[in-house]
C-alpha cells in the first residue's frame, strides 16, 4: 500500500470526523480524496461518493430520530423530487455526457475534466455558504408560508446537482428548509441528513446498473468514514464544531480553486 493510498483512507476518516464535528460539509471532500489520492475515475468517484454520503448520513440520522428532531413531513416533500432527480441524473444524464464536451484549439474539456470543474464550482459555492453562514441568533427562520412548490423545485434542483457531483448538497438544502418550511436550524440540519441519505442511496442505485462497483474497496472506505463520524461526535464534547465551520469553509474554498487550477492548467 503506497503513501497516497494510505492518505486516501486517512481522508475517509477525516470526512467522517468533519461530518461529526460540524454536521455537514465533509462529503464535499469525498470526490477529491477518491480522485486525487486513490486514483478513482471521476465518474466512478461521484458514484462512490453517493454511497459514502448516503450511508454516513443514514448513521448520523439515527440519533436525530431518537431526539425527535426530524420533520418527516418536510423530508417527504423534499425527498420525493430529489431522489427522482438524482436517480434519473445518474441513470441517464451522466452516461449521456459526451467524452469530449468542448474542443477549441488547444483547449479540450473532456467528460472527466468537466465533472471535476463543475464539482470545483459546487465546492466554491459550499465554501461561501459556510463562510457567510449567519450566527445562531441571526439564523432564525423568517415568517414565510410553507411553500410546497418551492420546496419541491429545490428538491429537484438539489437532486440533479447531487447526481452530477456526488455531494450531499446540505449547503443548499438547509437554507431551503429554514426559509421555506420555517424549520428551526437544528431541526433543518437533522431533516437535511435524512434527505441526503435517501436521495444519495437511491441515486447510487442508478450507478449499480451502469458501473462496475468495487464493493470491497467501497465498503472499507465507507466503514472508515462512519467510524470518523463517531470520532467527530466524541470530539464535539471538547471542540466547538460551529467555530470550526468557517475555517473549514476557507479550506474548501482553497480546495475548489486548486481543482480549477489543476484541471485547467
Amino acid at each position: 500500500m503506497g503513501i497516497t493510498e494510505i492518505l486516501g483512507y486517512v481522508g475517509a476518516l477525516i470526512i467522517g470526523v468533519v461530518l461529526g464535528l460540524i454536521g455537514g460539509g465533509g462529503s464535499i471532500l469525498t470526490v477529491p480524496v477518491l480522485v486525487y489520492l486513490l486514483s478513482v475515475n471521476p465518474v466512478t468517484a461521484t458514484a462512490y461518493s453517493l454511497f459514502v454520503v448516503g450511508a454516513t448520513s443514514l448513521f448520523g440520522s439515527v440519533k436525530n430520530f431518537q431526539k425527535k428532531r426530524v420533520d418527516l413531513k418536510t423530508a417527504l416533500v423534499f425527498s420525493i423530487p430529489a431522489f427522482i432527480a438524482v436517480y434519473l441524473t445518474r441513470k441517464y444524464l451522466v452516461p449521456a455526457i459526451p467524452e469530449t464536451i468542448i474542443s477549441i484549439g488547444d483547449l479540450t474539456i473532456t467528460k472527466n475534466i468537466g465533472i471535476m470543474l463543475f464539482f470545483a464550482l459546487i465546492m466554491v459555492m459550499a465554501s461561501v455558504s459556510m463562510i457567510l453562514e449567519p450566527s445562531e441568533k441571526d439564523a432564525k427562520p423568517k415568517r414565510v408560508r410553507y411553500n410546497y412548490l418551492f420546496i419541491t423545485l429545490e428538491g429537484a434542483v438539489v437532486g440533479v446537482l447531487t447526481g452530477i457531483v456526488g455531494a450531499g448538497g446540505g449547503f443548499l438544502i438547509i437554507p431551503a428548509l429554514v426559509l421555506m418550511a420555517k424549520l428551526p436550524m437544528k431541526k433543518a440540519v437533522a431533516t437535511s441528513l435524512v434527505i441526503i441519505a435517501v436521495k444519495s442511496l437511491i441515486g447510487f442505485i442508478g450507478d449499480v446498473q451502469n458501473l462496475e462497483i468495487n464493493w470491497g474497496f467501497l465498503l472499507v472506505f465507507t466503514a472508515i468514514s462512519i467510524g470518523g463520524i463517531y470520532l467527530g461526535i466524541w470530539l464535539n464534547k471538547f471542540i466547538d464544531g460551529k467555530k470550526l465551520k468557517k475555517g473549514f469553509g476557507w479550506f474548501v474554498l482553497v480546495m475548489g480553486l486548486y481543482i480549477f487550477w489543476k484541471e485547467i492548467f
Side-chain angles (χ1 to χ4, degrees), residues 234-252:
W234 178 76
L235 288 173
N236 222 349
K237 297 176 182 177
F238 313 101
I239 304 171
D240 187 352
K242 292 175 185 175
K243 291 181 180 178
L244 296 176
K245 196 163 191 175
K246 289 191 178 182
F248 181 70
W250 284 106
F251 173 73
V252 171

Side-chain angles (χ1 to χ4, degrees), residues 86-96 203 205-207 209-210:
V86 72
Y87 175 82
L88 293 176
T89 300
R90 296 305 302 185
K91 175 68 175 170
Y92 299 107
L93 180 58
V94 172
I205 294 172
D207 289 301
Q209 298 166 320
N210 290 329

